Amino acid sequence: MIYRLTTKATKQYLFLLLQRDGRLSRQYDVGLDLGCNRMQNRPVFATRRYVGVDLDQAALESGKRKYPEAETIHCSIDDHDKYPAGDFVVCVQVFSKHYSFDKAVPALVGVCDKVKKGGTLLINFGKKNMGELDAIRAVLRERFKTVDEVAYGISQKNSYLAPIVATLVYVLRLKPRTVQKHYFRCQGRI
């Protein structure tokens, strides 16, 4: 399990979803982590090759020290020609922080284009993107055979109890009172 001490339960819940879906990566060659930061999601990947893409050079260097086998590319996820396509692509905590209402859908199309035919995309969207959810769903359903969606939201306060709270919500499949984020598992790139 991937846990961070003193973090938000919503983020812990996301880590549980990624841990669950990371097993899908075993069948793939190239893993692409878009907006990887310090490569916190590296343990999710079981691909033969891992490529981390991020704008923060210092974060990439920090991740590279921990995961020396990782390939790093310093660029924006919008610079599609600067990084390879992947069979298993993860792009979390990127749209919810950096792409506002009017820019999310065009950026999402570009991300989908970097998923190889038959590949898998794990992606989430936050409050900034709630107004575009129908368009986001349409883009994903148009490009993947299977799209599974999880709406989630838990306390946004940092707490040492966050891993426990997130695990309980995950195991008991509790519905959130307020939806703060949407996570999509997209399989079978068309």
Side-chain angles (χ1 to χ4, degrees), residues 93-105:
Q93 302 300 93
V94 174
F95 283 86
S96 57
K97 292 180 180 177
H98 304 292
Y99 288 87
S100 60
F101 182 78
D102 58 336
K103 296 180 181 166
V105 172

Side-chain angles (χ1 to χ4, degrees), residues 14-34:
L14 173 63
F15 291 137
L16 291 169
L17 293 171
L18 289 174
Q19 189 71 37
R20 176 195 72 186
D21 295 337
R23 71 182 186 280
L24 299 170
S25 70
R26 293 182 191 137
Q27 64 184 314
Y28 296 121
D29 184 42
V30 180
L32 186 60
D33 193 355
L34 299 176

Side-chain angles (χ1 to χ4, degrees), residues 104-116:
V105 172
L108 174 60
V109 169
V111 167
C112 290
D113 289 345
K114 294 307 286 194
V115 181
K116 292 181 182 179

Side-chain angles (χ1 to χ4, degrees), residues 130-148:
M130 291 296 178
E132 289 187 303
L133 275 177
D134 288 338
I136 287 166
R137 288 180 185 115
V139 166
L140 295 173
R141 289 181 182 138
E142 191 175 281
R143 288 165 174 78
F144 292 90
K145 290 180 183 173
T146 307
V147 176
D148 298 305

Side-chain angles (χ1 to χ4, degrees), residues 33-52:
D33 193 355
L34 299 176
C36 68
N37 197 267
R38 293 183 319 266
M39 302 180 205
Q40 301 95 310
N41 298 324
R42 174 65 181 102
V44 169
F45 289 80
T47 53
R48 288 177 273 300
R49 180 178 168 206
Y50 171 86
V51 180

Side-chain angles (χ1 to χ4, degrees), residues 48-90:
R48 288 177 273 300
R49 180 178 168 206
Y50 171 86
V51 180
V53 176
D54 204 280
L55 269 175
D56 187 338
Q57 183 65 40
L60 285 172
E61 290 169 6
S62 174
K64 183 77 170 168
R65 283 191 294 278
K66 187 169 183 179
Y67 302 106
E69 81 290 350
E71 295 175 45
T72 59
I73 299 175
H74 179 235
C75 71
S76 166
I77 68 169
D78 294 322
D79 295 330
H80 309 293
D81 59 332
K82 293 185 179 178
Y83 58 89
D87 303 294
F88 182 80
V89 179
V90 173

